[in-house]
Amino acid sequence: MDAIYVENLVKKYQNGMQALNGVSLTVKEGEIFSLLGENGAGKSTLINILTTYLRPTSGTISVFGKDIHNEAAVIRSGIACVAQRTSIDTHLSLTENMMFQSKLYKIPKTEAKDRMEILISCFGLERYLKYPVSSYSGGVKRRLDIALNMMSNPKILFLDEPTVGMDVQSRMAMWEMMKKIRSDFGTTIFLTTHYLEEAESLSDTICIMKDGKEVLQGTPHTLRQYLQQNILKITFADKGAAKIGLKQIAKFFSGRKVVLHEEHLSVCCENSQVDLKQAGHLLFEQNIAFMGIEILQPSLEDVFIRLTSRGVS
Ligand SMILES: Nc1ncnc2c1ncn2[C@@H]1O[C@H](COP(=O)(O)OP(=O)(O)O)[C@@H](O)[C@H]1O
Ligand SMILES: [Mg+2]
């Protein structure tokens, strides 16, 4: 069964702003799913609807097979959401925060204690136990906030831009934490981000969103293959040679996109092996000195830029 199934979801705010424009996506059980998009793409709106905080205007949503309109309360009891603002009480200690959370979910005390110990150890929070919560760095507070949200043993953990504004080290600690949640607890993770690198290094599935609609969903690997167009990179000894090369290559591969960057050229391939051979022959025949030719695969960034840049769809 899919953890989340969304079809043709529309959200129009009262002021007339249509934030979601018929978005559809599927999240598999036990995976890390990233919703990737620029600011204003509609990520928070979608997460707020999935966590039953906002009502959709139209569309279908089911969470573990349960319809969000009819069974919102059941869905709510099986999920947790880490919002941008933490839910930590800085007047309480780390363990008091965790036990307080368990009371909200009516978890029996002994069970809550066991669970708290597992979470503290799993997320490496032991060494902070002796310090007041108010002294924690932003990154540690965020980790504690996630641990709090894991107290109820949710089937799905939602996180809205969990690493925004963090330094590199805290961000990487957060990625490790999310991978641990997936592996140790089998929790499905749904997160939003506008960091491409984050989506790529963490996710089993990425959904790229633009203007309230998904543009592509797949594994990082399949998204990279989306362009299905390798790039031939030809490196010359200097800019002068590259300019001469550009003239010949553009003439030979007429109709293809050929771009000059300093001392190398990139050519969009149709058949990269054939193109490589032909370009090599041509340069030898014309006696144009070059340093090397290689076939490059498009990066996820190439795909993202291609899909989300204005005027392109
Ligand atoms: N409460 C609201 N009322 C009206 N418009 C909103 C509201 N919240 C968000 N929006 C608009 O909806 C669009 C999507 O916003 P949001 O879901 O916050 O995107 P993201 O999280 O991807 O940055 C934006 O144009 C935003 O200005
Ligand atoms: Mg947002």
Side-chain angles (χ1 to χ4, degrees), residues 7 133 144 161 172 175 182 207 219 223 225 228 237 282 284 297:
E7 195 185 338
V133 170
L144 172 58
E161 307 232 13
M172 284 167 84
W175 294 353
R182 177 186 53 187
C207 177
T219 64
L223 291 199
Q225 283 181 328
Q228 282 185 347
L282 178 75
F284 273 124
Q297 286 204 331

Side-chain angles (χ1 to χ4, degrees), residues 49-64:
I49 292 174
L50 293 176
T51 52
T52 74
Y53 181 73
L54 277 182
R55 279 177 173 278
T57 305
S58 62
T60 308
I61 303 174
S62 60
V63 178
F64 283 113

Side-chain angles (χ1 to χ4, degrees), residues 13 15 17 19 38-45:
Y13 283 107
N15 66 358
M17 173 70 209
E38 291 167 341
N39 283 331
K43 305 182 295 297
S44 295
T45 302

Side-chain angles (χ1 to χ4, degrees), residues 7-272:
E7 195 185 338
N8 212 4
L9 186 65
V10 172
K11 174 67 187 178
K12 204 168 178 178
Y13 283 107
Q14 276 180 343
N15 66 358
M17 173 70 209
Q18 186 150 332
L20 298 179
N21 218 341
V23 61
S24 299
L25 53 85
T26 311
V27 181
K28 291 199 266 313
E29 188 171 0
E31 73 172 349
I32 299 183
F33 180 98
S34 296
L35 190 62
L36 175 69
E38 291 167 341
N39 283 331
K43 305 182 295 297
S44 295
T45 302
L46 179 55
I47 221 168
N48 286 333
I49 292 174
L50 293 176
T51 52
T52 74
Y53 181 73
L54 277 182
R55 279 177 173 278
T57 305
S58 62
T60 308
I61 303 174
S62 60
V63 178
F64 283 113
K66 300 204 169 9
D67 179 74
I68 208 161
H69 298 286
N70 306 327
E71 298 184 83
V74 184
I75 291 174
R76 221 173 282 142
S77 68
I79 62 175
C81 182
V82 180
Q84 302 234 288
R85 267 190 49 159
T86 66
S87 46
I88 299 169
D89 187 335
T90 49
H91 300 293
L92 302 179
S93 70
L94 190 154
T95 52
E96 282 166 349
N97 263 290
M98 293 186 90
M99 291 308 284
F100 181 70
Q101 186 80 8
S102 73
K103 276 191 198 147
L104 294 180
Y105 282 89
K106 301 190 172 58
I107 304 166
K109 205 168 176 183
T110 46
E111 194 185 319
K113 272 198 166 150
D114 290 347
R115 185 148 185 89
M116 178 176 80
E117 274 167 26
I118 292 171
L119 290 169
I120 287 177
S121 139
C122 177
F123 300 142
L125 291 168
E126 298 98 332
R127 61 193 142 127
Y128 304 104
L129 284 170
K130 55 178 186 271
Y131 303 109
V133 170
S134 56
S135 71
Y136 293 177
S137 70
V140 176
K141 276 193 188 134
R142 182 48 64 91
R143 271 157 67 193
L144 172 58
D145 196 20
I146 295 175
L148 291 186
N149 278 285
M150 288 299 291
M151 278 299 276
S152 61
N153 201 6
K155 289 213 273 191
I156 308 176
L157 181 66
F158 290 91
L159 304 110
D160 195 3
E161 307 232 13
T163 65
V164 74
M166 279 188 182
D167 58 47
V168 179
Q169 265 166 347
S170 309
R171 180 168 294 157
M172 284 167 84
M174 190 61 80
W175 294 353
E176 285 314 306
M177 187 166 181
M178 285 186 233
K179 287 180 185 164
K180 254 190 138 183
I181 292 172
R182 177 186 53 187
S183 63
D184 292 13
F185 303 98
T187 315
T188 305
I189 298 181
F190 183 106
L191 67 98
T192 70
T193 184
H194 63 264
Y195 299 119
L196 191 80
E197 191 199 353
E198 178 157 291
E200 185 165 20
S201 57
L202 255 188
S203 324
D204 300 300
T205 302
I206 299 175
C207 177
I208 298 180
M209 193 172 178
K210 179 190 171 188
D211 299 337
K213 188 148 176 49
E214 81 290 352
V215 279
L216 194 64
Q217 174 176 337
T219 64
H221 180 68
T222 55
L223 291 199
R224 257 183 263 118
Q225 283 181 328
Y226 168 78
L227 287 183
Q228 282 185 347
Q229 231 177 7
N230 288 334
I231 291 160
L232 210 58
K233 181 179 170 190
I234 310 173
T235 308
F236 296 88
D238 53 49
K239 287 186 203 169
K243 271 193 186 156
I244 301 167
L246 170 70
K247 232 176 160 178
Q248 296 298 330
I249 292 284
K251 199 164 107 189
F252 184 80
F253 291 107
S254 72
R256 302 267 198 98
K257 196 173 172 199
V258 182
V259 184
L260 175 69
H261 322 260
E262 303 283 316
E263 75 287 0
H264 73 253
L265 285 182
S266 55
V267 185
C268 285
C269 295
E270 277 171 10
N271 180 329
S272 48

